[in-house]
Amino acid sequence: MQWVNTVKTLGFALMMTLSGAQTQSSAPTRWTESFDRLDTSTWAVSNWNGFWQNDEVKGAFDTRNAYTDGQGHLVLKLDVRACAQGLCAQAAEIQTHRRFGFGRYSVRMRAASSSARANTPGQSRPGNISGAFSFFNNSATEIDVEIEGHRTGYMNAATWTSLKNKDAALVPAPKRTDLARDFHTYTWDWQPQRLAFSIDGVQVWETRQHVPQQPGHLMLNVWPTMNPHWGGEVKPGQVYMLVDSVSYEPS
């Protein structure tokens, strides 16, 4: 949604400025993150007001909601509570200081569920988006993998070259798997003229339209929604998106 990207861009730019985060060019070699700890020399942790805010849901990204579990997993927590006016949400997001360009990206993660434990499956809940994506400069580069809390048998794939130019698809997971029950590997293969998206090694969508050309920050987040058609309607409670590893291999 365009308004989401507009405010997301403004908040991200402000947070990066305030944190003094670097914006380095594309990394020349393969890189892997196993999340034995949350290394702040690699990752910036968001703490800005949420782009989702409306009359029903307020809130911000909270640095306390991004942490590692001591077993090699990043935990991103979304905590929603009743407050004086509607609901207040504390979400979680991290992004690399470095920018990465053309190549193969893989994120092994479990979409948001009621369980914070990697070895304990949870239940999906409506009202959230689990995201893994590349992003830079007002969506001049944006490549999205997003899973909606109210339909976790599907993955949203999208590519943007500006706030007005995009191509996107809603694709079923192979075998209609519930992506909030177990860990799955999401891959986008970004080449100058094409983008291909896969789940667990099975290609699910490819596009040659609106392929970004500038390196982007790798970002991971979970945030609330109050839309029956996009993520579902959030209610008070907690959900947890878990990430086992991410990797990048340049072309």
Side-chain angles (χ1 to χ4, degrees), residues 104-111 130 132 145-147 152 154-156 173-174 177-189 196-201 204 242 245-247:
R104 185 179 179 86
Y105 297 75
S106 292
V107 178
R108 184 162 180 79
M109 71 181 198
R110 189 176 74 192
S130 300
V145 167
E146 294 178 306
I147 301 163
T152 53
Y154 294 82
M155 181 190 81
N156 289 270
T177 304
D178 183 346
L179 301 175
R181 290 283 295 173
D182 299 295
F183 286 86
H184 298 276
T185 301
Y186 303 86
T187 302
W188 56 98
D189 188 359
F197 294 79
S198 301
I199 302 175
D200 295 331
V204 293
L242 271 65
S245 64
V246 300
S247 67

Side-chain angles (χ1 to χ4, degrees), residues 223-234:
W223 48 277
T225 62
M226 186 57 84
N227 186 330
H229 307 294
W230 173 244
E233 298 181 1
V234 72

Side-chain angles (χ1 to χ4, degrees), residues 18-36:
L18 293 177
S19 68
Q22 303 172 55
T23 53
Q24 299 179 28
S25 60
S26 178
T29 58
R30 179 180 172 86
W31 168 71
T32 301
E33 173 65 82
S34 57
F35 291 112
D36 294 322

Side-chain angles (χ1 to χ4, degrees), residues 46 50 52 58-66 76-80 88-93 221-224:
S46 296
W52 59 81
K58 309 297 183 184
F61 288 106
D62 189 329
T63 58
R64 295 170 296 181
N65 286 2
L76 298 177
K77 177 183 177 182
L78 172 61
D79 186 7
V80 180
C88 292
Q90 300 300 312
E93 178 179 77
N221 65 16
V222 61
W223 48 277

Side-chain angles (χ1 to χ4, degrees), residues 58-117:
K58 309 297 183 184
F61 288 106
D62 189 329
T63 58
R64 295 170 296 181
N65 286 2
Y67 57 92
T68 53
D69 66 356
Q71 299 179 345
H73 304 96
L74 171 71
V75 181
L76 298 177
K77 177 183 177 182
L78 172 61
D79 186 7
V80 180
R81 303 183 184 187
C83 55
Q85 296 180 337
L87 299 174
C88 292
Q90 300 300 312
E93 178 179 77
I94 67 171
Q95 56 278 308
T96 56
H97 296 298
R98 185 183 293 270
R99 291 164 55 201
F100 300 87
F102 301 127
R104 185 179 179 86
Y105 297 75
S106 292
V107 178
R108 184 162 180 79
M109 71 181 198
R110 189 176 74 192
S113 78
S114 58
S115 175
R117 293 178 168 270

Side-chain angles (χ1 to χ4, degrees), residues 165-183:
N165 297 311
K166 67 174 291 190
D167 195 17
L170 176 65
V171 295
K175 302 180 182 179
R176 294 295 176 94
T177 304
D178 183 346
L179 301 175
R181 290 283 295 173
D182 299 295
F183 286 86

